């Protein structure tokens, strides 16, 4: 993931060789700003270009970002996986908006996936 652009409230990432821009909602934008400040306070001289780092990877730019296992470990006490949280977040947004284009922009997902989430959220439509 490229560095977030907080001024324009965007995140961009290379997904399958194509640059995707994601427009986070207000809460995500605020939390992202708070995390970036926390990350800077914790590791002010970190050479790592990654958004999410661990104590170890913050000091070694050649290391990968936070691994799925490390992220999963943070979720273990809740009994849910990061993927379940993400899927629930997309489904909730689909319930609120019923707009697949909005889901594509917000989550950087494929249009077909966005349509399936909208159909799941609104089965009678």
């Amino acid at each position: 993931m490229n560095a977030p652009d907080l001024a324009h409230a965007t995140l961009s990432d290379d997904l399958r060789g194509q640059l995707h821009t994601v427009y986070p909602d207000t809460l995500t934008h605020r939390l992202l700003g708070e995390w970036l400040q926390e990350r800077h306070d914790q590791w002010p001289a970190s050479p790592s270009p990654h958004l999410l780092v661990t104590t170890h990877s913050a000091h070694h730019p050649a290391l990968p970002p936070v691994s799925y296992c490390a992220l999963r470990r943070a979720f273990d006490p809740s009994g849910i996986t990061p993927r379940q949280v993400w899927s629930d977040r997309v489904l909730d947004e689909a319930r609120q908006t019923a707009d697949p284009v909005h889901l594509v922009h917000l989550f950087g997902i494929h249009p077909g996936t966005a349509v399936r989430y909208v159909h799941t959220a609104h089965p009678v439509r």
Side-chain angles (χ1 to χ4, degrees):
M1 177 168 290
N2 297 329
D5 182 346
L6 292 179
H8 295 100
T10 60
L11 299 164
S12 24
D13 199 8
D14 183 350
L15 299 174
R16 297 175 296 280
Q18 186 175 3
L19 187 64
H20 288 270
T21 301
V22 178
Y23 303 88
D25 59 58
T26 305
L27 175 62
T28 304
H29 182 256
R30 182 177 61 80
L31 292 173
L32 181 59
E34 289 175 10
W35 165 247
L36 289 173
Q37 184 60 53
E38 175 71 21
R39 183 182 187 274
H40 176 73
D41 292 347
Q42 200 67 327
W43 304 288
S46 172
S48 177
H50 303 296
L51 179 61
L52 299 177
V53 294
T54 63
T55 301
H56 189 67
S57 67
H59 303 291
H60 304 282
L63 291 177
V66 172
S67 70
Y68 181 79
C69 291
L71 191 57
R72 176 83 191 256
R73 197 172 315 117
F75 279 82
D76 280 347
S78 69
I80 57 176
T81 67
R83 182 70 173 171
Q84 289 169 317
V85 171
W86 182 86
S87 292
D88 186 65
R89 174 70 183 92
V90 176
L91 185 58
D92 183 63
E93 193 68 25
R95 284 187 189 111
Q96 299 298 318
T97 67
D99 179 2
V101 174
H102 174 72
L103 298 179
V104 168
H105 285 292
L106 185 61
F107 297 105
I109 59 178
H110 187 275
T113 302
V115 168
R116 283 193 299 277
Y117 270 100
V118 170
H119 283 190
T120 301
H122 303 279
V124 292
R125 286 188 181 184

